[in-house]
Every structure is written in structure tokens, then in C-alpha cells.
Amino acid sequence: MKRRAFLVVVAATSGCLDYLEENGNELSDPEDVVIVYDTLGRDDPGTDEERVYVWGVVRNDGDREINYLEIQATFFDENGDAIDSVIEHAEDVTSGEEWTFEIEFPQFGEAAARVADYELEPATSV
């Protein structure tokens, strides 16, 4: 969990995931990763158990296998202010392969109800 917190802080301060280093691996803005589909999901709206998540599909359209793929979801309120960011990852995404992901907003109930929009940003290590 500390790794995720570190990445979120670095991404938030830099404004993008163009370049990060973690354990000697370079993470960069992926040219060949395509977000095929994404949508905001909401379960149990209006209750203390309200849950918000982004569900989607990404594809490696490049010729090389991707050793590490991250998708960062930043969640926004109705005013467009960022509320929180969460990162999900996959390893060894081969060329032409699709990967489904679900990134859950880390809070429930009223906090989750504040989520009005989101933004996705992929990063890779080849």
C-alpha cells in the first residue's frame, strides 16, 4: 500500500506519469496502450454502503510485451476538484492482449456519493 501512496503523490506533484522510477524500472507514458472501454459504476447509491468504481478494458497495440502496466484513476467531485487517485496494475501484457480492470474509489457512503467524474492515465514499463 505504501508503494501506491508513493506513486499517487509523485503523479499528483508531477502532473503526469511521463517518467517514474521504481526498483530501477522506468515507467513511461505508453504509446501503444489503448483504453478500449471505460465506465463509472455505482452500487447501492444513497446508502452508507454506496460504492464507486471505474471498470474498463485496455489493450496492448504495440509489438512488444509490456512487463508492467498501470492504470491510475483520479476521481473528481461535481466542481471538478480531485478527491482521490488509485492505481491498479497488471504484469506481462503481451502484444494484442486485452486486460480488464476495476479501480475502486477507496471510500464508501457519502464520500463515494461525491464522485461525479474520473480520469484514467496509463503508464508502462517495457
Side-chain angles (χ1 to χ4, degrees), residues 76-91:
F76 299 93
D77 65 15
E78 64 183 22
N79 297 321
D81 296 326
I83 302 171
D84 208 338
S85 293
V86 180
I87 295 172
E88 192 60 48
H89 75 275
E91 296 178 9

Side-chain angles (χ1 to χ4, degrees), residues 1-9 22:
M1 196 61 162
K2 289 181 181 178
R3 181 191 68 80
R4 285 186 179 189
F6 169 74
L7 289 175
V8 169
V9 169
E22 178 183 301

